[in-house]
Amino acid sequence: MKFLDHFEEWLIASLMAAATLITFFAVVHRYGSGIALLQPYLAHIHTSWAQELTIYLFVWMAKFGAAYGVRTGIHVGVDVLINKLSDKNRTKFIVLSLLAGALFTGIVGTLGATFVWEIGHTEQTSADLEIPMWLVYLAVPCGSYLMCFRFLQVLRNFLLTGHLPKHDHSHVEGMDDVAEDSNWFAMDDNLHPHDVASKGGKQ
């Protein structure tokens, strides 16, 4: 799974970087065209496609970002009541919620794949880029199926170890050598269900 994990992260970062650069270029071009000195160089450059492409990039980024969120436990859910249950009952609710997430995203992915298949047999293209629309909508089945897989992956890991992925918002990449007791911002916020392997999620 390491290859898939790295590919997922690389894809999200690349889409975000591309959307940012395209937006920056479009804004610079818009205001630069109003400057008499730069107008001869920028007048022949058309950026009407930039907004449409940026929207499509963000759609793909959001779909794969949602799958990344499932894998890393970054999605927020208020689970105050679930965390007050016994380990046995909490386990049942967690398994049920993960199965429900996998079922929902699997259904969305299947419906999306059906829609992509149907629109792929048409000649519908986007307004500015004039690319086939099935390429745009392909983000729905790809992202949803990946998200479904991540739900099942988290479920499998939970059943084997009792642990749930938990995102540490205070963690800074490259500072793994810092002592854990120096984390002044860590708190038990009841925004995620406590796992059953660490006695209520507290180490």
Side-chain angles (χ1 to χ4, degrees):
M1 293 297 117
K2 289 295 184 182
F3 171 79
L4 181 59
D5 294 347
H6 290 309
F7 174 77
E8 184 181 60
E9 295 167 359
W10 173 86
L11 180 61
I12 295 171
S14 298
L15 292 172
M16 186 181 301
T20 303
L21 291 175
I22 292 172
T23 303
F24 176 77
F25 171 76
V27 172
V28 171
H29 176 270
R30 178 184 301 174
Y31 287 97
S33 298
I35 301 176
L37 182 63
L38 299 177
Q39 190 173 11
Y41 303 98
L42 299 178
H44 66 283
I45 301 177
H46 301 284
T47 58
S48 59
W49 51 268
Q51 181 178 2
E52 184 178 277
L53 179 57
T54 301
I55 292 174
Y56 294 157
L57 291 174
F58 272 107
V59 169
W60 276 82
M61 181 181 64
K63 293 301 296 182
F64 283 89
Y68 172 81
V70 174
R71 175 170 66 89
T72 58
I74 202 172
H75 288 296
V76 174
V78 180
D79 301 294
V80 178
L81 295 179
I82 293 180
N83 289 336
K84 293 183 179 297
L85 299 175
S86 62
D87 288 351
K88 183 178 180 179
N89 290 328
R90 191 185 316 119
T91 298
K92 293 179 180 179
F93 275 98
I94 292 174
V95 170
L96 179 62
S97 64
L98 292 173
L99 286 174
L103 176 63
F104 175 77
T105 51
I107 292 174
V108 173
T110 302
L111 294 176
T114 302
F115 181 75
V116 168
W117 175 261
E118 293 176 352
I119 202 174
H121 291 80
T122 67
E123 297 182 358
Q124 184 177 352
T125 59
S126 62
D128 296 320
L129 295 172
E130 297 184 352
I131 60 175
M133 286 303 297
W134 69 267
L135 285 175
V136 178
Y137 291 117
L138 191 63
V140 176
C142 289
S144 297
Y145 280 137
L146 180 59
M147 196 173 181
C148 178
F149 171 75
R150 292 303 189 189
F151 272 117
L152 296 176
Q153 185 182 37
V154 171
L155 174 62
R156 177 182 178 274
N157 183 68
F158 176 72
L159 293 176
L160 292 177
T161 66
H163 287 289
L164 289 170
K166 187 174 183 181
H167 182 75
D168 185 4
H169 297 278
S170 62
H171 173 73
V172 179
E173 193 71 28
M175 297 187 62
D176 296 330
D177 55 336
V178 179
E180 293 184 2
D181 57 359
S182 63
N183 183 5
W184 305 288
F185 305 104
M187 63 180 64
D188 184 14
D189 52 13
N190 273 331
L191 294 180
H192 299 84
H194 294 156
D195 55 40
V196 296
S198 56
K199 295 182 179 180
K202 299 177 180 179
Q203 303 292 339

